[in-house]
Amino acid sequence: MPSESAGLSATPLIERWQAARRSDGGIPSYEAVVLGNLGRYADHAALIATRAGQPHAILWSGARFLAWLHRDSGSVRDGATSAAERLDVAGLSEDVRQPLHEVVERALTLRGPARTRCDRVHDGIVTSIEFLGIPLARRDDAPLVLLSLIGVQSRYDLVKAMFGATDQGMLALSTIRTGDGRVSDFKIVAANEGAARLLGGTISDLQWQRLTRVSARLTQGDVLCRLVGVITSERRDVFEVSLSGADGCDLHLKIEAGCIGDLLALTFVDVGDLKAREASARLLFENNPLPMWLTDRGTHRFLAVNDAALTHYGHSLERFCAMTLADLEPVVTGALPATTELYGPAAPRTHLRADGSRIEVTLFERVLDFHGRSAVLTAVIDVTERRRAEARIAYMAHYDALTDLPNRVLFRARLSEAIVRSRQSGTGALVLFLDLDHFKTVNDTLGHSAGDELLRGVAGRLTGCLEGVDLVARMGGDEFAILVERDVPVKTLAACLIEAVSRPFTIQGQEVRVGVSIGVARLPHDGTDPDRLLRNADLALYGAKGAGRNTHHCFTVAMEAAIRARRDLEQDLRAAFAGGGLELHYQPVLLAASGRLMGFEALLRWRHPERGFIAPAEFIPMAEETGLIVPIGEWILRTACAEAASWPTSLRVAVNLSPIQFRDRGLPGVVGRALAEAGLAPDRLELEITETVLLAENASNLAVLHQLRALGVRIAMDDFGTGYSSLGYLRSFPFDRIKIDRSFVSEMETHSEAAAIVRAIVDLGASLGILTTAEGIETDGQFQRLRAAGCDEVQGFLFGRPMPAGEARDMMRDDAPGMSLRRAG
């Protein structure tokens, strides 16, 4: 009989999906349905990644779903979207893979919820449940399917249902004869509880009664003749008879009769259940999804084989019946293992199928009587895939699933072994910690599948630089580690690794370039325990990144102090941003010809509680390196726009944009929201970019610039003249303004070449219809030369230092159209 466990209803999940459905009828997004709280559905659910309309990988799954897959929930981290944490659909067993494919394909085809049933056979139990698949959209990638176990889970014990017992009763009868000696009836002399129950009375009710009165069917026709025959022939007889029970139900009895003189002994058993069980067992045997057979206990020849065994092993019924167990187990030498009387799993064995392939099986065997001979009933469970899965899980505990390299656990264990060898032999070793430069850009622009392909390519190139005795491992994300116990110069090895990784990769038909930064720690010089060596190599890596990337650094004690100070400063910067500790100061920009105030440039300032003002050149590169510049940049835009909205409408505000902000293709939306929230006219906002923005991903960044221009904001190129391709960018994008770099302005009075370059830039701007602004003006001589050259606007300490917003507002009140050029006092 099936056992059932409480299941989940599909209705709330479908209603949630329908509520999140897009207004245009498109399927809802992953974020709209899954992110947040799935409630009790989370344990029963899994997220399926698709490729070309087919399920590809299980990105994450709940504990109940893992249990359905017969996997340990501790082996897969919860919400892991890393490649090491994923389960490949191709690696699932066929009984799960087939319905999973079916429900995913149906959900994607229907673009709506789909269902199918999944039946699993595990350790002799058939478990059935329903799959619900709902499609989810994913930005710039193939859709996902949220898969949930719903409904009632049914479990069938296929083997135990085949076996049972029957009741039996006993009667002692005396023979009643007519005057001529002919047998006419029988009188019940004694009866047991089994007989009373089967005949529908009590023992006292039956005793001394004539058999014809108790059950006419036991004395009518052929039955009575057979009982009389036992008396007359004095031989034993066995037969079956059907009669109505006391409750109106038919009984099917097996009767054994024997006599001593005129005393007749009957033993009868209700074999109705047995016959029903035999029919059920025959049905279960013949239609069971488990391979099953009956073999002769002595000769091991097959007596009966079900259809599942024929299919699984690939032999015909005729071939099976001509075989013995030895034909399935060619590796067994000598006698086959003896079968015990008790039903239970035998030791795992290797069987051979008709096509020559080998499978590992567990056999459940029971000795029984089959048509008068001792036979063995066997149920076969194929554990080949389970053993492979167990081996794979054991392998994955020490190896990275994406790159097939050793993982952090195995690397640390091998490093511990190297430390022991170092102590014993006095030899050293190198520990290299590697981090890819610009890997996030590949992930963000081409997608995670491209990132995965790149990581596999990097793993292959790193391995190609090493020898067989060296160990390279993936530590997680885009971090790798290398253990080298041979004598090799650090500089030579690092140069080989950097050169190998820096060569272009072809990913999804596109050329991709990344670099690698390397930190090196030496055993035993930099530590004699795994944690310290790895930490010091990581610190050295941090130093390599700070030195410009695509290089290597060896660990030093001084580096440890400097890097720790840098990390402390990074933590302070995060705390300052989170706690409102950053400020915007505003530096005035004036019209060179008249001195009229034209606006202000918003500049970020950080007043550290202990160190005072920290130079932007010190903390802004750190913010860019850590990615913190993106939220800080958004805050600057919103704050500057809100402040400028309170100024006279003739004044504009300029805001600098970091190249890192351009990696987020949502930048135009951020700018648009800042303008809308502040109520600031777009032409009063000027965005300043450097040539670096256009050097990286030229085409995509130009597209973002055009989107910004479409909002109505002004675009200025900052630090003009310092890059090798500044002129080319003026042709590719119509800038509103170019800002002459302060390095030229500062040398105008001392170097004629600098003055000539400034005049050329001003003339170039005038001929192209682009305004020019000179920044960094500190002397009146510099200013006079710039005004004489025709520069449009000026900015620098000569006219005002960056000041808090309140002082900037005071300056606006003091300024009036046509007033003489003001100077900072």
Side-chain angles (χ1 to χ4, degrees), residues 689-762:
I689 68 167
T690 63
E691 185 181 11
T692 310
V693 168
L694 295 170
L695 282 173
E697 302 176 60
N698 184 286
S700 57
N701 285 345
L702 276 175
V704 172
L705 284 174
H706 281 289
Q707 293 175 40
L708 293 172
R709 168 62 62 74
L711 294 175
V713 302
R714 301 172 182 269
I715 308 295
M717 179 182 281
D718 201 6
D719 302 335
F720 185 82
T722 58
Y724 71 91
S725 56
S726 299
L727 294 176
Y729 293 133
L730 291 182
R731 185 178 60 180
S732 61
F733 182 80
F735 288 91
D736 297 288
R737 182 184 309 278
I738 51 179
K739 298 189 72 173
I740 304 170
D741 187 70
R742 65 182 62 244
S743 63
F744 300 117
V745 173
S746 64
E747 296 180 355
M748 285 185 69
E749 296 179 279
T750 57
H751 293 78
S752 59
E753 297 87 351
I757 291 174
V758 170
R759 288 193 300 270
I761 293 174
V762 171

Side-chain angles (χ1 to χ4, degrees), residues 121 127 142 170 215 242 246 279 290 340 375 397 513 569 576 758 766 791:
V121 178
T127 312
M170 296 183 67
S215 177
S242 296
L290 284 176
T340 62
R513 291 180 181 269
L569 189 63
V758 170
C791 184

Side-chain angles (χ1 to χ4, degrees), residues 285 292-294 302-307 309-311 314-323:
F285 178 85
M292 300 184 75
W293 53 62
L294 277 166
F302 290 94
L303 305 176
V305 182
N306 72 353
D307 290 340
L310 299 178
T311 301
H315 295 295
S316 66
L317 180 60
E318 293 75 13
R319 171 61 182 155
F320 248 119
C321 292
M323 294 164 57

